[in-house]
Amino acid sequence: MPTKKQLSFEDSMKRLEEIVARLDSGEAPLEEALALFEEGSGLIRTCSAALDKAEQKVHKLLPGPDGAPVEAEMEEMP
Amino acid sequence: MNARPVYSVTQINNYIKGMLDSDRVLTGVFIRGEISNYKVYPSGHHYFSLKDEGGAIRCVLFRREASSLRFRPQSGMMVVAYGRITVFPRDGAYQLYVSVLQPDGVGDLHVAFEQLKARLSAEGLFDLEHKKPLPKYPKRIALVTSPAGAAVRDMLRILGARWPMAEAYVVPCRVQGAEAPAEIAGAIAWVNAYRLADLIITGRGGGSMEDLWCFNDEGVARAIYASEIPVISAVGHEPDVTIADYVADLRAATPSNAAELAVPDQNEEYARLDYLKRRLAKAGGERLRQERIRLDRFSRCRALQDPMTWVQDRRVLLDYQRDRLTHALTAALGEDRERFARLAASLDALSPLKVLSRGYAIARGPLGVVRSVKDAAPGDELNLKVSDGDLSCTVNGRADSPGKGE
């Protein structure tokens, strides 16, 4: 079982699919089923929230004097 | 004869050279022919002949001109060469000093493209086994392209609409002109060196074959091949295919298409989440309903409602079972007794002692029980077992029963 919070979106979706499949199979004992249901509901909340609040971030990257990336203005972007 | 001047070899060569060098045709001439004996000297100059069915002419392509060739001339190739014809005084031979060499029929870009494609393909740069899978939900996408073009705007717009969760990094480079290939290849290597993204898109909008040429560059191809980060190529319009497209892990028809292929659509993900939510609710609800039904069944059961009745029921049942057991045991014993008597009787009938009492005897000789006249010889001692004891006997003679034995 994954530990604690903050799974990536991809891992959250994967876990969610697992949970639904396990619940659907009806094999989980009641205790586990309840825990799964709760975890699944939580994942749906966080995934939806992640989609809701996502705002595109655009950066322009240039190599600095030492070659390491330096962020620059995206001047001519709409 | 003596009235005529006598020239030295050098003088006459120089005279001829002067004639050719002042000829308007020979100072700038296009010649079509087939390349033969193509050789590159360590000096970097290229030497070959152009020939047709009627003859041949020697040609030189100096290193400086050769370096701007975009294809590799080979013997057997039909070409059009432009240059001037003059004499090389040291060996008195005239030759064509080529300044431009182009494949005949098709453009030199086309030939260069095919040659590079064949070479890289043979080297395995296009092999499917080398293609890396793209991340399903990329978090950081590097756009190796011009920051000014329509291509980058299209890509950012589509990436933002479909999957705003992915951060977009524009890594500016020229996508046209002589410096473009090195800049593109350098940018791809740089993004890899600093792990700036988990997906790279490189490309540009449409243009002429010359405009797109930097994506047919060997250095760009090798940079894409070497990239540990998956690369989507997105060059020009649908029908344009570049070397970069062959090497890339995925080829997109256009920059917009690359953006669509790079990320999932958030609307689809919303729909998927919705679907999972409904299934979760259904599976969870169904489970609770079943547990409630089980619980109801338990609570309706008499034993839980009136435990004493249950005990009484069990008491009656116990009496009944005891009764049945006693009956069954008695019946079983009677049956067994009868079976025993039957078995004893049949055993008695089979006993050899019973047979002996009817007058038969068992004879044993040195070879065991005597069944045949061959089992004993005259003089052998025999033991005869009769019903009430044994007799020792000696065989006195032997006679076969007529019609029996051999």
Side-chain angles (χ1 to χ4, degrees), chain B residues 12-216:
Chain B
I12 200 67
N13 272 348
N14 281 333
Y15 177 80
I16 296 171
K17 182 173 161 58
M19 274 182 67
L20 298 189
D21 287 351
S22 59
D23 185 281
R24 281 189 39 219
V25 171
L26 298 183
T27 46
V29 63
F30 288 95
I31 302 172
R32 172 180 288 120
E34 181 190 328
I35 293 177
S36 69
N37 288 322
Y38 199 93
K39 283 195 185 98
V40 180
Y41 277 65
S43 59
H45 307 320
H46 298 207
Y47 296 87
F48 58 101
S49 298
L50 283 181
K51 63 173 190 182
D52 61 13
E53 32 325 325
I57 180 173
R58 289 170 56 180
C59 305
V60 186
L61 181 66
F62 287 125
R63 188 173 59 185
R64 196 162 57 84
E65 282 78 20
S67 69
S68 64
L69 281 177
R70 285 190 286 202
F71 71 107
R72 293 172 179 231
Q74 287 159 358
S75 295
M77 195 178 267
M78 285 301 293
V79 291
V80 174
Y82 174 82
R84 63 192 172 89
I85 294 175
T86 184
V87 170
F88 183 44
R90 201 191 62 197
D91 51 8
Y94 68 87
Q95 51 191 2
L96 177 69
Y97 290 77
V98 181
S99 51
V100 179
L101 189 64
Q102 287 203 334
D104 190 29
V106 290
D108 57 345
L109 288 184
H110 181 79
V111 172
F113 177 86
E114 291 301 333
Q115 285 177 337
L116 182 59
K117 185 177 144 198
R119 194 152 51 84
L120 298 184
S121 173
E123 229 185 279
L125 264 70
F126 308 158
D127 287 357
L128 288 181
E129 304 89 82
H130 188 76
K131 307 264 182 233
K132 291 171 285 297
L134 306 186
K136 191 173 176 203
Y137 303 98
K139 294 182 192 69
R140 293 173 304 161
I141 302 173
L143 307 177
V144 175
T145 188
S146 159
V152 76
R153 274 204 308 278
D154 289 346
M155 289 194 279
L156 288 174
R157 183 172 46 76
I158 291 168
L159 289 176
R162 282 176 67 91
W163 198 246
M165 234 187 280
E167 289 185 60
Y169 294 94
V170 178
V171 182
C173 58
R174 272 172 281 193
V175 289
Q176 189 168 343
E179 296 84 4
E183 288 190 14
I184 297 166
I188 292 171
W190 182 66
V191 171
N192 270 278
Y194 288 93
R195 288 273 150 200
L196 298 178
D198 47 17
L199 179 65
I200 294 173
I201 302 177
T202 186
R204 51 156 292 148
S208 68
M209 195 173 186
E210 279 81 2
D211 288 343
L212 308 184
W213 194 250
C214 51
F215 289 99
N216 289 323

Side-chain angles (χ1 to χ4, degrees), chain A residues 25-71:
Chain A
S25 75
E27 281 163 10
L30 185 60
E31 289 284 301
E32 191 196 335
L34 288 174
L36 285 175
F37 184 79
E38 202 164 316
E39 190 189 346
S41 306
L43 286 172
I44 286 176
R45 262 197 311 280
T46 53
C47 284
S48 302
L51 284 176
D52 288 343
K53 70 164 194 255
E55 239 176 82
Q56 188 184 32
K57 291 195 190 84
V58 178
H59 319 264
K60 186 157 104 176
L61 287 182
L62 292 166
D66 56 348
V70 176
E71 230 172 275

Side-chain angles (χ1 to χ4, degrees), chain B residues 71-388:
Chain B
F71 71 107
R72 293 172 179 231
Q74 287 159 358
S75 295
M77 195 178 267
M78 285 301 293
V79 291
V80 174
Y82 174 82
R84 63 192 172 89
I85 294 175
T86 184
V87 170
F88 183 44
R90 201 191 62 197
D91 51 8
Y94 68 87
Q95 51 191 2
L96 177 69
Y97 290 77
V98 181
S99 51
V100 179
L101 189 64
Q102 287 203 334
D104 190 29
V106 290
D108 57 345
L109 288 184
H110 181 79
V111 172
F113 177 86
E114 291 301 333
Q115 285 177 337
L116 182 59
K117 185 177 144 198
R119 194 152 51 84
L120 298 184
S121 173
E123 229 185 279
L125 264 70
F126 308 158
D127 287 357
L128 288 181
E129 304 89 82
H130 188 76
K131 307 264 182 233
K132 291 171 285 297
L134 306 186
K136 191 173 176 203
Y137 303 98
K139 294 182 192 69
R140 293 173 304 161
I141 302 173
L143 307 177
V144 175
T145 188
S146 159
V152 76
R153 274 204 308 278
D154 289 346
M155 289 194 279
L156 288 174
R157 183 172 46 76
I158 291 168
L159 289 176
R162 282 176 67 91
W163 198 246
M165 234 187 280
E167 289 185 60
Y169 294 94
V170 178
V171 182
C173 58
R174 272 172 281 193
V175 289
Q176 189 168 343
E179 296 84 4
E183 288 190 14
I184 297 166
I188 292 171
W190 182 66
V191 171
N192 270 278
Y194 288 93
R195 288 273 150 200
L196 298 178
D198 47 17
L199 179 65
I200 294 173
I201 302 177
T202 186
R204 51 156 292 148
S208 68
M209 195 173 186
E210 279 81 2
D211 288 343
L212 308 184
W213 194 250
C214 51
F215 289 99
N216 289 323
D217 180 82
E218 181 170 349
V220 170
R222 293 199 182 279
I224 292 174
Y225 184 76
S227 176
E228 284 169 28
I229 302 168
V231 177
I232 301 180
S233 68
V235 184
H237 300 305
E238 170 70 52
D240 301 323
V241 181
T242 61
I243 298 290
D245 290 325
Y246 289 110
V247 195
D249 298 297
L250 183 68
R251 182 223 167 199
T254 62
S256 303
N257 180 228
E260 282 159 5
L261 295 173
V263 292
D265 183 353
Q266 59 174 343
N267 293 323
E268 279 166 29
E269 297 300 312
Y270 270 126
R272 177 96 196 123
L273 268 176
D274 230 45
Y275 166 75
L276 286 171
K277 193 170 164 183
R278 272 184 282 119
R279 267 186 65 190
L280 186 69
K282 191 161 161 273
E286 176 63 17
R287 184 55 193 269
L288 285 178
R289 204 175 64 82
Q290 277 175 6
E291 296 295 344
R292 192 160 295 135
I293 290 171
R294 273 178 69 193
L295 203 58
D296 275 3
R297 235 193 352 257
F298 286 139
S299 61
R300 272 204 311 276
C301 133
R302 244 177 89 209
L304 287 177
Q305 287 175 342
D306 186 357
M308 278 327 283
T309 325
W310 185 83
V311 172
Q312 277 161 14
D313 280 357
R314 291 298 179 279
R315 197 168 282 150
V316 173
L317 192 65
L318 195 62
D319 279 350
Y320 169 70
Q321 297 287 32
R322 185 184 292 139
D323 225 39
R324 273 185 59 196
L325 190 65
T326 319
H327 271 105
L329 211 61
T330 323
L333 282 178
E335 237 170 65
D336 279 357
R337 194 170 293 140
E338 222 170 277
R339 262 179 69 210
F340 177 72
R342 251 196 334 268
L343 281 175
S346 52
L347 208 59
D348 191 37
L350 288 174
S351 163
L353 296 179
K354 195 87 176 171
V355 177
L356 293 185
S357 71
R358 299 215 303 268
Y360 293 92
I362 298 169
R364 287 175 199 276
L367 301 171
V369 174
V370 178
R371 290 186 183 79
S372 153
V373 290
K374 278 172 280 174
D375 289 344
D380 281 352
E381 290 280 327
L382 292 186
N383 172 284
L384 278 189
K385 193 173 209 51
V386 293
S387 66
D388 52 355

